[in-house]
Amino acid sequence: MKPSERSLLIAALLLLTTVPAPAAGATLAQGAQPSDEFASLEREVAPHSGVPCPAESAYSLARPDSGGGPTVVGIGVFFQDVAALSDIDQTMDTDVYFVVRWRDPRLADAARTAGSAECPVPTGKLWMPALEPENLRGRQSFYPDRFLVDERGVVTVGRRIWAKVSYPLDFRDFPLDAHQWTLTLWPVLSKSDEVVFHPIQRMTGIADRLSIQGWRVGTPQARASTAARNSRAGTYARFDVVLDVERDWIYYAWKLGLPLTLIVFMAYGVYFIPAAAVPQQIGLGMTAMLTLIAYMLTLGNALPRISYLTRADWFFVGSAMLVFLGLMKAVATLWLSQGPKADLIARVDTWGRGLYPIAMLANFALAFLA
């Protein structure tokens, strides 16, 4: 590992430990774990140079204290960046620090005092919890894992990765939609009688400034539970990190909603053109309709590509109907002007001038307030 990368990760780990620890009594899905086990996992990570690593003979592939119940694995997740949330494939691109901790008494050494030894990762020599994210679509490691162990045998594995994870979202409220995006971790093989999770709240958080555009991202909430898994027998530990994400609808109101409203108002002008100027009425109605169609085609790349209608879609449909009614009114004026029904045309214009704005408000209310 390059010195600059080592310094970056050490700084990140120390930053994570500055968050206040959760109040005593934090619970786990299995519930009956001793409080000192939680306290061990919540302790600060303090890497010290010159601290001895465990002897090779201390490593074992057997689960630590396998006869004393499930091994408690603490997990902290810190979002260094959230780069993008895709409406099309419903994935989120994230830059994430994962901190995984557990206690292995076989690695304890009082000579480390209050420090943690940074050691080579004992891959294939020591039992370590194997975890897998649900719906992982891709990942890239920034640098090799860090492996630290303190005097009580508390192991800390630090990893920073760039991950693309999918999660199904419901965009029916677009562009007023808000979601709870969830990252779920499972043990690869171990059931809940072997491994249970504990959220390390002091090591879970998010950076103050993010790259994502068009969304507001809240503080992550970590929780541990047990649940069944699809196509697998038994119960497994489950770890969820929930991010509240809310779309910034102001952009869509100005960029999409305002131009569409102006097109609908353009069609409203048909009711103010005298009946004698039928060609101008038809020309205005056709221009408004063609402009609306071209505008909706242009918006195709800006809207979520989904198989159901959103609030914005319903607003567009209602707007298209209002513009089309304006065109049909112009055509009706041409037809009625050929007979003795000029007074009927005047009444239609009078009613249209009053009802058209009401219909626009009703279309907006049905789309965004219902």
Side-chain angles (χ1 to χ4, degrees), residues 97-115:
Y97 286 106
F98 285 100
V99 179
V100 182
R101 309 189 80 187
W102 70 96
R103 186 178 179 185
D104 192 337
R106 299 168 299 190
L107 306 182
D109 187 347
R112 301 187 190 107
T113 61

Side-chain angles (χ1 to χ4, degrees), residues 259-273:
L260 180 62
T261 302
L262 294 179
I263 294 173
V264 177
F265 266 118
M266 182 170 64
Y268 182 37
V270 171
Y271 297 92
F272 293 89
I273 298 177

Side-chain angles (χ1 to χ4, degrees), residues 329-350:
K329 184 267 173 189
V331 174
T333 300
L334 176 61
W335 175 59
L336 294 174
S337 64
Q338 305 301 318
K341 297 184 178 179
D343 57 337
L344 178 58
I345 297 175
R347 287 197 299 270
V348 170
D349 286 338
T350 300

Side-chain angles (χ1 to χ4, degrees), residues 9-351:
L9 187 53
I10 290 175
L13 289 173
L14 293 176
L15 173 63
L16 297 179
T17 60
T18 60
V19 182
T27 59
L28 188 66
Q30 292 291 327
Q33 302 298 331
S35 58
D36 63 337
E37 193 77 15
F38 295 130
S40 296
L41 301 180
E42 295 284 354
R43 295 178 68 189
E44 293 188 3
V45 181
H48 285 189
S49 59
V51 178
C53 291
E56 290 288 334
S57 59
Y59 292 146
S60 173
L61 292 175
R63 184 168 61 87
D65 198 17
S66 57
T71 301
V72 182
V73 177
I75 303 178
V77 180
F78 187 87
F79 291 85
Q80 182 67 22
D81 192 16
V82 177
L85 195 161
S86 172
D87 294 333
I88 299 174
D89 53 12
Q90 300 187 26
T91 58
M92 181 180 285
D93 293 337
T94 60
D95 177 359
V96 187
Y97 286 106
F98 285 100
V99 179
V100 182
R101 309 189 80 187
W102 70 96
R103 186 178 179 185
D104 192 337
R106 299 168 299 190
L107 306 182
D109 187 347
R112 301 187 190 107
T113 61
S116 295
E118 182 174 359
C119 310
V121 181
T123 304
K125 300 178 182 179
L126 178 69
W127 179 92
M128 290 189 286
L131 308 178
E132 57 181 354
E134 193 172 76
N135 298 328
L136 181 67
R137 295 294 178 262
R139 70 175 181 178
Q140 176 185 353
S141 297
F142 283 86
Y143 35 69
D145 296 348
R146 290 192 67 201
F147 181 87
L148 301 97
V149 57
D150 67 10
E151 81 281 4
R152 300 187 62 187
V154 175
V155 178
T156 302
V157 175
R159 174 181 303 172
R160 182 183 177 187
I161 65 172
W162 181 271
K164 180 186 287 289
V165 181
S166 69
Y167 186 75
L169 300 175
D170 189 342
F171 293 111
R172 285 183 172 84
D173 286 335
F174 172 85
L176 306 178
D177 49 331
H179 310 276
Q180 286 193 325
W181 187 88
T182 304
L183 170 65
T184 301
L185 297 175
W186 299 92
V188 175
L189 295 174
S190 302
K191 296 183 180 180
S192 58
D193 58 348
E194 299 176 319
V195 170
V196 291
F197 293 142
H198 169 65
I200 307 178
Q201 302 293 354
R202 69 186 306 151
M203 295 185 180
T204 298
I206 193 168
D208 294 333
R209 301 188 66 178
L210 305 174
S211 300
I212 191 169
Q213 298 294 320
W215 294 88
R216 290 186 289 271
V217 183
T219 303
Q221 303 295 324
R223 53 176 179 249
S225 61
T226 57
R229 298 189 65 179
N230 293 334
S231 304
R232 298 193 186 185
T235 303
Y236 294 80
R238 172 173 176 159
F239 184 84
D240 294 310
V241 181
V242 180
L243 279 175
D244 290 323
V245 292
E246 181 179 359
R247 194 186 300 272
D248 186 3
W249 59 269
I250 298 296
Y251 164 82
Y252 295 94
W254 287 102
K255 185 74 173 182
L256 308 181
L258 180 60
L260 180 62
T261 302
L262 294 179
I263 294 173
V264 177
F265 266 118
M266 182 170 64
Y268 182 37
V270 171
Y271 297 92
F272 293 89
I273 298 177
V278 175
Q280 287 78 2
Q281 287 193 23
I282 295 179
L284 179 60
M286 291 185 64
T287 300
M289 194 69 203
L290 293 175
T291 303
L292 179 67
I293 294 173
Y295 184 69
M296 294 180 68
L297 292 175
T298 304
L299 292 181
N301 294 329
L303 303 179
R305 298 179 185 177
I306 48 182
S307 59
Y308 49 84
L309 295 180
T310 66
R311 290 184 180 273
D313 293 325
W314 286 114
F315 182 64
F316 292 161
V317 170
S319 298
M321 293 178 63
L322 288 174
V323 173
F324 182 74
L325 285 176
L327 176 60
M328 290 298 97
K329 184 267 173 189
V331 174
T333 300
L334 176 61
W335 175 59
L336 294 174
S337 64
Q338 305 301 318
K341 297 184 178 179
D343 57 337
L344 178 58
I345 297 175
R347 287 197 299 270
V348 170
D349 286 338
T350 300
W351 280 96

